[in-house]
Amino acid sequence: MDTPLVNKLILANVVRLMDQLVSRASVDRALRKAGLTRKILDGRPGYIPFAKEALFAEAIARHLGERNIGVIVGEQFRYKALGWYADYVLAAPTLGLAFERGQRALPLLHPGCNVTLSQSSTHVVLGLDTRLHPVVGARHVDEVVPFLLADLARHFLGETWTPSWVEMTGRNIPSGSALEKSFGVPVRDSEETPAIALDLQALAAPNPVARWYWAFAGASPLRLVILSPAVAPNRT
């Protein structure tokens, strides 16, 4: 897949968050600058170029004069807002298997993007390569990624869990950045991929909710396409 795409349901949720920060008219102007409208997002399920979400975020950031709009969105955006995708991932029996499910089903949510995973003797680093750089506004989208990944991990590890460190795209990220203040852990530079680091043994953490016994818990992502109209393969 040459062009990374995003499922409309994700951007529709981001737009709803933005409606709480600025006026509806301001959000509509930002959508137009990205070549989007609410009608497109509320219409038939499908995909749009991921770059349009980045352009939308950049327009909102400039309107607010807020350099870290991604951090603001990330602090409010919850993993469960990913709908059917989150249901599938969070139904896994362990955190490690949840990561595997997320990777397996990602092409249905973000065609053209890639899950990254690296491991040392003590830690595993999980990230998402959005493949947006050097698109204007890509950094805002990248800033949201660690929050979503951490929210996924907290389903298994508890609400007070924090990553060992966070990795963010860019160079020479200053100490005391908005991202560091939000997480309360060090933020390391990454050339391409926003990510979080967690102790290796955390992968074995069991699902605290019995939902993984549901009939669809072992279902393939393809079955979820059949079950959910939100992933119909319409591209805008």
Side-chain angles (χ1 to χ4, degrees):
M1 179 73 62
D2 293 331
T3 303
L5 305 174
V6 59
N7 196 294
K8 288 182 182 180
L9 84 91
I10 297 179
L11 186 50
N13 281 322
V14 172
V15 168
R16 281 191 281 271
L17 281 177
M18 294 302 184
D19 281 335
Q20 299 173 23
L21 296 176
V22 297
S23 69
R24 184 181 177 90
S26 297
V27 173
D28 287 344
R29 282 194 296 271
L31 285 169
R32 287 195 296 271
K33 288 182 179 179
L36 296 169
T37 64
R38 293 180 190 268
K39 184 176 181 180
I40 290 175
L41 297 180
D42 296 337
R44 290 182 58 194
Y47 302 90
I48 60 173
F50 204 3
K52 289 183 177 291
E53 181 175 341
L55 293 172
F56 169 69
E58 178 67 16
I60 291 290
R62 293 188 180 188
H63 174 74
L64 292 175
E66 175 55 64
R67 176 177 174 80
N68 299 111
I69 191 66
V71 173
I72 294 174
V73 172
E75 289 176 337
Q76 300 180 56
F77 201 97
R78 293 294 173 262
Y79 196 81
K80 289 182 179 179
L82 301 181
W84 57 267
Y85 179 84
D87 289 341
Y88 175 64
V89 173
L90 296 178
T94 67
L95 178 57
L97 290 174
F99 288 167
E100 288 185 13
R101 285 180 174 221
Q103 184 173 24
R104 191 185 313 150
L106 186 67
L108 301 176
L109 193 72
H110 277 300
C113 299
N114 303 304
V115 170
T116 62
L117 193 66
S118 61
Q119 182 179 320
S120 70
S121 60
T122 58
H123 287 82
V124 60
V125 178
L126 177 72
L128 177 69
D129 183 2
T130 61
R131 296 185 57 231
L132 286 176
H133 295 270
V135 173
V136 173
R139 182 175 56 83
H140 304 306
V141 175
D142 283 354
E143 283 179 337
V144 178
V145 171
F147 290 96
L148 283 176
L149 297 177
D151 200 42
L152 159 60
R154 288 181 183 125
H155 175 81
F156 295 84
L157 301 173
E159 288 298 317
T160 60
W161 177 86
T162 57
S164 298
W165 68 84
V166 170
E167 297 186 3
M168 181 49 53
T169 49
R171 296 180 179 179
N172 301 318
I173 297 174
S175 176
S177 66
L179 194 62
E180 184 176 291
K181 289 178 180 177
S182 183
F183 275 98
V185 300
V187 176
R188 301 182 180 181
D189 297 350
S190 172
E191 290 187 4
E192 295 182 351
T193 307
I196 62 169
L198 59 160
D199 292 339
L200 193 58
Q201 62 265 30
L203 296 179
N207 196 328
V209 183
R211 292 170 55 208
W212 66 276
Y213 285 108
W214 289 354
F216 86 91
S220 70
L222 180 59
R223 186 180 176 204
L224 290 181
V225 176
I226 298 172
L227 292 174
S228 175
V231 291
N234 174 50
R235 289 180 171 84
T236 300

